[in-house]
């Protein structure tokens, strides 16, 4: 009998001593090279409940049809929609996610990063999952441990991998400080010392006497029920302190109502690692995204990641994927990657590069602002050969720690302009990660209605529309474990309720699927060296030169041995653009040509009559000692790839 079989037949363990971890069993193998993967990130509460067949597909030309009247004769109100999205569980489940594996597979996704699924405090509306109450149980709103195992097994049967989102820096708000604590029992101000522990909290957030006895009380497993497991330093400044200071304030202070762990407490780090080893052994998952990695010291990060890597390797997962959330910009990402070394695969590229990617894709910034981040002479994160292994490219995500909290498509020039950003993700160095809804160009309500929304551009909620279009959210608190709230509309896409947006014919979905399929077919597009190419624009009398023009053609090459793939993006949001793009003269001798292997304008419009159809060739021309291809005008925000080895 396997570890999974033994443990699914009984209640989740109360203690870490209640199970023996396996070794050298048969588990799903790791990716040979994570640069070959295309990640897709979702919050399970906001993705699917598996009931989309009972709801219509959203008609985006008639959004008001999906804005129903509210109870008691109230007409639709956007502030109620926003309230629903900010504070309530919407009802997405693991079974719902499992029902969408074909949708993701056909999109070209290869690895699904699932937001935290661990049990939260029942009385809090922490739908995002980052405030854990039980580290060994699945939140009942999402389903069961069996549902999670089933999801991973079904994903593996379809050639997909699953990454779980984990937290070892903090727990949820499972206890309060002692009565009389300066500033109160819930969120006292930061102290460089420590406050007295007060009481564990019960199922509804009430203080209880003594140790937790039932599953909803306190925190589980029992090893986490020692008060000295926690810093008890109060609420501080998440940015205060130096990165190299192991006692920096941001490393030992509670965030909102979370509770920071004192990771130097004897055996605590090992116990937390054992919690997550349990999930690897139980589910056969393929990696972890590690939350708030910046908020632990280098030694703690290295030791935790090393313990996870070694355990997974002994199961046969030779490169269990670990990617860290490291806030604070490119320097911080680079520092952790260097110090933690091979124990950490990559960092999420959520610093300056995400904002530059957004602006370059929209034609609003010099493309060198993005591509210089890969240059061996300029890049903080290393050479073009190893950079691709070290960072996960992010265009949109669930919180946007840098910049405005709106999706790319919220201020896009067209329904498919986001493809320009995704093209840069898929075909430049790194491991691309698509955020749920990007393939449907989710954008929030139309601009004319945003005046009704509280804190537009400043709240995470507008990054978290529920794709499955619930009619209503769950009720607040413990009641939400069973019942919905019919007084609020569901937080559906584009400011609607009751209609889903899983549309495989959407212009972005269709283009993205074609790009992902081509990326899978050609190793040069995943593994090749990268060069931003000079362009010349005869129409403007601009010769080849080392310049950066926003809103014009951007050309770059990926080179693998003798193969060159030239990527060409029209970064203008509304107008056609063409240019001459330099190519490698040695790889493309006199008389040669390059073949078009992708044209997203043609993919999005089978009746396309413009230039550069797939299969057509473009002659490699000579000017002095350089070689180039002449790119005829292509439509706004569309993308081409040409290669010398089609």
């Amino acid at each position: 009998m396997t570890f999974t079989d033994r443990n699914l037949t009984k209640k989740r363990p109360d203690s870490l001593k209640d199970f023996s971890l396996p070794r050298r069993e048969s588990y799903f193998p790791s990716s040979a090279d994570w640069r070959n993967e295309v990640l897709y990130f979702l919050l399970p509460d906001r993705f699917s409940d598996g009931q989309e067949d009972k709801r219509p597909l959203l008609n985006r030309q008639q959004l008001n049809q999906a804005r129903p009247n509210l109870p008691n004769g109230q007409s639709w109100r956007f502030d109620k929609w926003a309230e629903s999205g900010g504070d309530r569980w919407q009802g997405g489940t693991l079974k719902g996610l499992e029902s969408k594996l074909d949708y993701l597979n056909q999109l070209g996704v290869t690895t699904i990063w699932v937001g935290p699924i661990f049990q939260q405090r029942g009385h809090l509306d922490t739908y995002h999952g980052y405030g854990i109450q039980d580290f060994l149980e699945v939140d009942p709103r999402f389903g069961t441990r069996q549902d999670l195992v089933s999801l991973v097994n079904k994903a593996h049967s379809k050639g997909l991998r699953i990454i779980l989102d984990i937290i070892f820096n903090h727990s949820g708000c499972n206890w309060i400080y002692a009565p009389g604590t300066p500033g109160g029992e819930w969120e006292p101000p930061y102290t460089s010392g420590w406050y007295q522990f007060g009481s564990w909290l019960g199922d509804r957030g009430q203080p209880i006497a003594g140790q937790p006895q039932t599953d909803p009380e306190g925190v589980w497993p029992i090893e986490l029920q020692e008060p000295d497991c926690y810093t008890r330093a109060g609420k501080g400044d998440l940015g205060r302190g130096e990165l190299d200071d192991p006692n920096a304030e941001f490393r030992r202070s509670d965030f909102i109502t979370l509770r920071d762990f004192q990771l130097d407490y004897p055996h605590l780090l090992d116990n937390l690692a054992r919690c997550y080893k349990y999930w690897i052994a139980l589910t056969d998952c393929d990696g972890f995204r590690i939350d708030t990695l910046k908020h632990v010291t280098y030694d703690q990060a290295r030791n935790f990641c090393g313990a996870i890597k070694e355990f997974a390797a002994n199961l046969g997962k030779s490169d269990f994927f670990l990617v860290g959330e490291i806030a604070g910009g490119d320097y911080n990402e680079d520092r952790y990657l260097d110090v933690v070394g091979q124990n950490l695969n990559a960092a999420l590229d959520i610093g300056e590069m995400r904002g530059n990617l957004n602006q370059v894709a929209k034609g609003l910034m010099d493309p060198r602002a993005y591509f210089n981040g890969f240059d061996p002479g300029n890049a903080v994160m290393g050479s073009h050969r190893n950079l691709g292994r070290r960072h996960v490219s992010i265009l949109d995500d669930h919180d946007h720690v840098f910049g405005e909290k709106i999706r790319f498509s919220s201020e896009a020039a067209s329904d498919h302009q986001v493809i320009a950003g995704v093209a840069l993700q898929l075909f430049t160095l790194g491991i691309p990660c698509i955020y749920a809804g990007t393939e449907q160009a989710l954008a929030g309500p139309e601009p004319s209605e945003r005046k009704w929304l509280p804190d537009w551009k400043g709240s995470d909620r507008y990054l978290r529309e529920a794709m499955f279009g619930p009619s209503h959210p769950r009720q607040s608190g413990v009641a939400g474990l069973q019942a919905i709230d019919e007084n609020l509309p569901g937080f559906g896409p584009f400011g609607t309720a009751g209609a889903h947006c899983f549309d495989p014919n959407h212009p972005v979905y269709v283009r993205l699927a074609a790009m992902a399929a081509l990326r899978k077919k050609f190793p040069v597009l995943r593994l090749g060296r990268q060069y931003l190419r000079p362009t010349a624009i005869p129409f403007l009398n601009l010769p080849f030169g080392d310049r950066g023009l926003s809103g014009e053609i951007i050309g770059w090459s990926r080179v693998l041995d003798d193969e060159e793939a030239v990527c060409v993006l029209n970064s203008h949001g509304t107008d056609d653009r063409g240019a001459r793009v330099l190519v490698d003269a040695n790889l493309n001798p006199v008389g040669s040509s390059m073949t078009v292997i992708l044209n997203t304008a043609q993919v999005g419009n089978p009746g396309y009559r413009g230039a550069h159809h797939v299969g057509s060739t473009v002659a490699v021309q000579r000017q002095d000692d350089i070689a180039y291809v002449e790119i005829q005008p292509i439509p706004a925000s569309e993308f081409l790839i040409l290669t010398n080895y089609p």
Side-chain angles (χ1 to χ4, degrees):
M1 182 179 289
T2 67
F3 180 87
T4 301
D5 293 333
R6 290 193 302 273
N7 282 272
L8 286 183
T9 59
K10 53 189 178 183
K11 178 182 177 290
R12 71 98 177 93
D14 286 341
S15 169
L16 296 173
K17 298 175 182 177
D18 291 346
F19 59 87
S20 298
L21 290 168
R23 66 188 72 240
R24 297 185 297 278
E25 290 189 3
S26 178
Y27 281 80
F28 197 74
S30 299
S31 177
D33 189 326
W34 285 94
R35 292 175 296 176
N36 292 328
E37 307 298 315
V38 176
L39 277 55
Y40 185 95
F41 168 46
L42 60 90
L43 290 174
D45 178 61
R46 302 298 168 96
F47 187 63
S48 171
D49 66 351
Q51 304 296 313
E52 289 80 12
D53 58 345
K54 299 178 182 178
R55 304 184 196 98
L57 178 66
L58 183 66
N59 185 331
R60 302 184 196 208
Q61 280 66 54
Q62 297 179 326
L63 291 174
N64 283 332
Q65 292 183 355
R67 290 170 179 156
N69 289 332
L70 303 179
N72 304 317
Q74 297 182 77
S75 60
W76 177 267
R77 289 178 52 177
F78 280 103
D79 61 331
K80 292 294 185 182
W81 176 83
E83 179 185 344
S84 173
D87 299 320
R88 298 297 179 82
W89 296 73
Q90 298 296 313
T93 63
L94 292 170
K95 283 295 186 186
L97 170 53
E98 184 176 316
S99 75
K100 294 295 175 291
L101 292 179
D102 286 340
Y103 168 90
L104 295 174
N105 212 352
Q106 292 159 16
L107 182 63
V109 168
T110 67
T111 299
I112 304 168
W113 155 19
V114 184
I117 48 76
F118 310 106
Q119 183 165 309
Q120 305 290 291
R121 294 212 60 80
H123 69 284
L124 297 178
D125 295 319
T126 49
Y127 66 86
H128 46 74
Y130 292 100
I132 302 174
Q133 185 261 330
D134 191 329
F135 283 76
L136 296 179
E137 185 59 282
V138 169
D139 194 283
R141 300 173 185 86
F142 295 144
T144 65
R145 290 176 300 149
Q146 178 64 65
D147 291 340
L148 182 58
V149 170
S150 174
L151 169 66
V152 177
N153 287 341
K154 185 63 69 70
H156 286 169
S157 73
K158 295 177 180 293
L160 298 168
R161 291 183 166 85
I162 298 291
I163 292 174
L164 299 181
D165 205 322
I166 69 165
I167 305 99
F168 79 99
N169 162 253
H170 60 263
S171 74
C173 184
N174 300 313
W175 53 269
I176 56 174
Y177 290 89
T181 299
E185 301 172 13
W186 292 90
E187 291 186 275
Y190 177 77
T191 174
S192 58
W194 51 272
Y195 292 113
Q196 289 288 338
F197 180 86
S199 305
W200 295 105
L201 298 180
D203 60 341
R204 298 177 181 272
Q206 76 278 17
I208 62 172
Q211 292 295 106
Q213 300 296 321
T214 65
D215 292 349
E217 294 179 344
V219 66
W220 297 90
I222 197 169
E223 285 80 2
L224 303 182
Q225 293 176 9
E226 297 182 45
D228 287 346
C229 286
Y230 304 87
T231 60
R232 308 204 308 273
K235 182 181 178 182
D237 185 340
L238 282 181
R240 185 168 295 172
E242 298 298 323
L243 192 65
D244 292 316
D245 179 5
N247 297 309
E249 183 172 328
F250 68 84
R251 288 202 167 102
R252 58 182 310 274
S253 56
D254 300 335
F255 175 50
I256 308 178
T257 55
L258 303 175
R259 295 293 185 248
D260 261 29
F261 284 123
Q262 173 57 267
L263 294 175
D264 288 333
Y265 185 65
H267 309 297
L268 177 58
L269 197 63
D270 290 340
N271 287 336
L272 289 164
R274 187 171 174 83
C275 289
Y276 293 116
K277 291 175 185 179
Y278 169 86
W279 289 108
I280 300 172
L282 186 76
T283 68
D284 198 11
C285 63
D286 303 284
F288 290 152
R289 178 268 193 184
I290 306 174
D291 186 61
T292 53
L293 195 61
K294 173 193 170 189
H295 295 261
V296 306
T297 68
Y298 301 134
D299 282 344
Q300 292 161 354
R302 182 168 50 241
N303 292 337
F304 178 84
C305 293
I308 296 298
K309 281 277 193 183
E310 290 187 8
F311 173 75
N314 210 12
L315 294 180
K317 293 176 175 288
S318 59
D319 191 13
F320 189 81
F321 190 65
L322 295 181
V323 55
E325 183 215 22
I326 305 167
D330 293 347
Y331 172 79
N332 289 354
E333 294 173 26
D334 178 60
R335 187 77 179 114
Y336 271 84
L337 286 166
D338 281 347
V339 174
V340 181
Q342 295 184 1
N343 289 343
L344 182 66
N345 289 75
L348 296 173
D349 214 348
I350 55 176
E352 295 88 343
M353 283 285 276
R354 190 194 67 79
N356 293 348
L357 169 60
N358 181 301
Q359 293 297 288
V360 169
K362 288 179 175 174
L364 302 175
M365 183 180 284
D366 182 337
R368 291 175 298 186
Y370 175 69
F371 281 90
N372 280 355
F374 302 108
D375 189 313
N378 300 317
V380 174
M381 294 182 66
S383 78
H384 60 201
R385 189 169 294 280
N386 70 19
L387 182 65
R389 302 178 187 274
R390 288 163 59 95
H391 85 123
V392 171
S393 174
I394 300 292
L395 180 66
D396 279 327
D397 68 6
H398 64 313
D399 57 8
H400 284 197
V401 295
F402 277 79
E404 295 176 333
K405 292 181 179 294
I406 57 172
R407 287 176 177 263
F408 182 101
S409 292
S410 296
E411 294 182 346
S414 69
D415 63 352
H416 71 272
Q417 189 181 31
V418 69
I419 278 300
V422 177
L424 287 164
Q425 285 188 281
L426 288 174
F427 299 111
T428 57
L429 292 164
I431 303 165
C433 181
I434 312 303
Y435 180 45
T438 293
E439 79 283 4
Q440 298 293 334
L442 291 196
E446 56 270 38
S448 62
E449 305 294 350
R450 294 172 187 171
K451 61 187 176 183
W452 308 110
L453 300 176
D455 200 18
W456 174 253
K457 296 188 178 183
S459 173
D460 292 341
R461 76 185 74 188
Y462 303 116
L463 301 167
R464 303 174 181 181
E465 294 158 279
M467 290 183 64
F468 63 99
S471 296
H472 304 284
R474 291 178 178 269
Q475 289 190 14
S476 182
V478 175
L481 289 166
Q482 303 294 332
I484 62 171
D485 185 349
E486 295 185 353
N487 293 309
L488 287 177
F491 196 61
F494 297 96
T496 66
H500 74 86
C501 67
F502 289 99
D503 183 3
N505 297 312
H506 188 273
V508 176
Y509 183 101
V510 172
R511 286 169 167 84
L512 200 161
M515 292 194 299
L518 198 74
R519 186 181 190 271
K520 181 177 181 180
K521 182 178 180 180
F522 286 82
V524 64
L525 297 171
R526 310 186 303 271
L527 310 176
R529 288 170 278 129
Q530 176 177 296
Y531 303 95
L532 178 64
R533 294 305 194 189
T535 58
I537 308 176
F539 176 73
L540 297 177
N541 294 316
L542 293 175
F544 287 104
D546 183 20
R547 72 176 73 84
L549 293 175
S550 58
E552 298 293 337
I553 289 290
I554 303 171
W556 69 95
S557 290
R558 301 296 300 270
V559 176
L560 190 64
D561 192 27
D562 60 348
E563 188 169 350
E564 179 174 15
V566 179
C567 302
V568 180
L569 173 65
N570 177 2
S571 67
H572 202 283
T574 58
D575 297 342
D576 294 2
R577 287 291 187 268
R580 293 172 177 172
V581 180
L582 185 145
V583 298
D584 191 305
N586 293 322
L587 299 179
N588 299 278
V590 174
S592 63
S593 64
M594 303 192 85
T595 301
V596 178
I597 56 174
L598 176 71
N599 183 336
T600 58
Q602 182 181 353
V603 170
N605 178 13
Y608 174 69
R609 296 182 179 276
H612 304 307
H613 280 244
V614 172
S616 65
T617 59
V618 178
V620 176
Q621 303 183 50
R622 286 296 198 277
Q623 177 180 315
D624 300 324
D625 295 326
I626 64 172
Y628 66 90
V629 289
E630 182 99 28
I631 303 300
Q632 301 302 315
I634 57 176
S637 302
E638 300 289 10
F639 179 68
L640 303 175
I641 300 180
L642 306 89
T643 181
N644 57 351
Y645 282 97

